[in-house]
Amino acid sequence: MRTRAEIEQMIARIALKDRHAFSELYDATNGKLFGVVLRVLNNRAEAEDVLQEVYLRIWHKADRYVVTGHSPITWLVTVARNLAIDRLRAKQRQGSPRDVTDMPDLADPGPCPEAQSIAASETARLNDCLDALEPDRKNAVRGAYLEGDSYADLAEKFRVPLNTMRTWLRRSLISLRDCLSA
Amino acid sequence: MTDESDHTEDNDPALAGEYVLRLLDAVEEARFEARLKDDPELQRMVHEWERELAVFAGDLAEVRPSKALKSRIMAQIAPAPSGPKRSIFGLWASGAAAVAMVGFLAFAPLLNAPGPKFHVDLVSGDLVVAAGFIPETDVMIVQLNQGAPRPGRALELWLIADGSETPVSLGLVPSEIGEIRVTIPAALLAQVEGATMAVSDEPPGGSPTGQPTGDILASAAVFEL
């Protein structure tokens, strides 16, 4: 992984349509972003399709990066995850429901190998606040983020009625927000 | 906390979290986005959740996509196409690729002649220089698309062939926004593939020594179209 400053430089040059910088950014980030997309879609061919969309979006929207105020990797991960979930929801609308039993288990997060790319203090803070939640609720938030679970998916996974799931999750978010802002 | 409080509209932080997690249904999402457009406070909440929740992605292992994917993507962003790649113009026209657009317009009159096979973009700060090379006709096109030489100075283009460390001058970049087309020796054109190019700051008329004498302002690898 390249440093934050290097990736920021690449994005700035991509905003000026520098294809060489784009090629470098691809080399530096494709493994991470493919990991994100593949986790949501759980299908390599579809995930590669979406990854292509992700990089074309980056090419065309690099000038939007500064507006978000994010670290570069946060911006890239957010773009990748959103496009993957767009594809997932489109599939669900076309009536191919996901078999959640096929999804890889939600492992508890080990030590973060990307501590250098996502600020270590941020990671520690979120993990502390997540640990203050009940384990099921914490896993529901992670499932929604990493696997793109909808309320219906989560309700099925945790075997609770949909409305209960929604109430749970909203309360978890409020607790998280209180904890993160404390 | 009561159920009512969970569902009131003033619970924006949780709503923003649901939005970022993509848990809202289509109607709720559209309603939220309509508010988000003009509400900086809501935008701040969304960015905050995006930043915080991205920590989850730190737990994910990197996975390599197939090698062919990169070529597919690079082909999609290649400029100044000739022949069957022409459909890419539609993509540009719809995109915000202003700089690339300048390149396209400038190359457009040549659409029926052979197009550039090699291309390089030299970008640094305000300066945007592009060069295209047409092996069939030994033509080099050099464009100044943005920026200008320093006052009283000139911009010179250099070719550093693959495996070589000695720059060879390709001449001057236009001093104003615009392009020049020149024929260059076939032997020089043969070295373009795989080369690196650079732009340097030089006295008027170019380097007196045959080697760059001023600052190297930008350099980049040549790209095959």
Side-chain angles (χ1 to χ4, degrees):
Chain A
M1 205 67 183
R2 309 285 282 266
T3 67
R4 172 181 175 147
E6 283 173 326
I7 294 184
E8 236 154 29
Q9 254 304 309
M10 291 176 203
I11 295 175
R13 280 157 58 209
I14 292 168
L16 293 167
K17 302 298 158 203
D18 179 339
R19 284 187 305 283
H20 187 65
F22 181 78
S23 166
E24 278 182 70
L25 182 82
Y26 182 89
D27 292 343
T29 58
N30 71 80
K32 173 97 276 175
L33 300 190
F34 194 54
V36 168
V37 170
L38 188 61
R39 183 63 173 256
V40 170
L41 289 168
N42 208 25
N43 172 312
R44 277 191 76 98
E46 276 176 358
E48 288 201 354
D49 252 24
V50 169
L51 194 66
Q52 177 167 342
E53 268 180 65
V54 169
Y55 279 97
L56 292 178
R57 180 71 61 98
I58 293 166
W59 173 251
H60 289 293
K61 302 279 180 183
D63 56 335
R64 292 282 308 155
Y65 159 64
V66 182
V67 181
T68 63
H70 284 320
S71 80
I73 198 71
T74 295
W75 181 67
L76 297 170
V77 161
T78 302
V79 169
R81 177 180 168 271
N82 274 325
L83 288 176
I85 292 180
D86 285 346
R87 173 69 61 102
L88 180 68
R89 296 282 187 265
K91 256 170 46 178
Q92 286 167 337
R93 274 197 302 278
Q94 285 159 14
S96 39
R98 270 202 307 173
D99 188 350
V100 288
T101 57
D102 278 354
M103 300 300 286
D105 283 339
L106 282 171
D108 227 65
C112 173
E114 290 289 320
Q116 77 274 36
S117 53
I118 293 173
S121 60
E122 196 99 87
T123 308
R125 214 154 55 97
L126 182 79
N127 282 332
D128 283 352
C129 290
L130 281 168
D131 285 339
L133 299 175
E134 290 169 40
D136 270 3
R137 300 188 181 197
K138 163 179 156 182
N139 283 335
V141 177
R142 279 180 80 227
Y145 189 86
L146 287 181
E147 327 227 315
D149 286 344
S150 65
Y151 274 128
D153 296 328
L154 291 171
E156 194 184 322
K157 231 183 223 179
F158 293 92
R159 300 177 204 289
V160 295
L162 201 133
N163 280 340
T164 308
M165 191 68 234
R166 183 160 192 175
T167 304
W168 263 27
L169 210 129
R170 291 184 64 104
R171 286 182 180 167
S172 304
L173 288 173
I174 292 166
S175 309
L176 264 183
R177 171 51 56 230
D178 289 347
C179 173
L180 288 165
S181 310
Chain B
M1 195 181 297
T2 65
D3 269 345
E4 286 75 42
S5 77
D6 282 347
H7 292 280
T8 50
E9 286 292 317
D10 61 9
N11 221 335
D12 281 346
L15 193 63
E18 286 180 288
Y19 173 75
V20 169
L21 286 172
R22 303 292 298 267
L23 287 168
L24 300 178
D25 67 37
V27 174
E28 293 167 323
E29 194 171 279
R31 202 183 295 151
F32 185 85
E33 281 178 346
R35 288 180 57 207
L36 187 62
K37 259 194 324 207
D38 309 309
D39 188 337
E41 181 59 17
L42 219 49
Q43 288 165 13
R44 191 190 58 77
M45 288 177 199
V46 165
H47 288 156
E48 206 164 52
W49 280 119
E50 282 177 349
R51 193 183 71 236
E52 286 157 354
L53 293 170
V55 165
F56 283 126
D59 298 337
L60 290 179
E62 299 200 5
V63 186
R64 293 287 153 199
S66 68
K67 283 226 170 359
L69 185 66
K70 183 174 180 183
S71 321
R72 250 156 66 198
I73 294 173
M74 295 309 291
Q76 294 247 13
I77 66 159
S82 57
K85 282 189 187 162
R86 219 170 284 173
S87 61
I88 217 165
F89 284 158
L91 226 160
W92 276 359
S94 66
V99 173
M101 203 61 199
V102 172
F104 158 52
L105 292 174
F107 285 133
L110 272 191
L111 273 184
N112 293 322
K117 180 157 185 255
F118 300 103
H119 185 94
V120 66
D121 287 315
L122 298 153
V123 177
S124 152
D126 186 40
L127 184 69
V128 181
V129 171
F133 298 85
I134 308 171
E136 289 89 339
T137 51
D138 294 336
V139 165
M140 170 176 80
I141 304 163
V142 184
Q143 301 176 333
L144 179 65
N145 288 332
Q146 192 183 304
R150 292 171 180 166
R153 303 282 290 176
L155 296 168
E156 189 160 357
L157 183 66
W158 302 89
L159 172 130
I160 302 114
D162 193 16
S164 162
E165 286 183 356
T166 313
V168 176
S169 176
L170 290 173
L172 294 182
V173 174
S175 57
E176 294 175 343
I177 303 297
E179 71 169 41
I180 49 162
R181 284 160 191 272
V182 290
T183 306
I184 61 172
L188 206 50
L189 223 146
Q191 297 177 40
V192 166
E193 183 168 10
T196 298
M197 296 205 179
V199 177
S200 68
D201 170 60
E202 299 295 340
S207 162
T209 67
Q211 286 295 298
T213 59
D215 294 339
I216 303 293
L217 301 173
S219 72
V222 171
F223 215 85
E224 184 168 355
L225 298 171

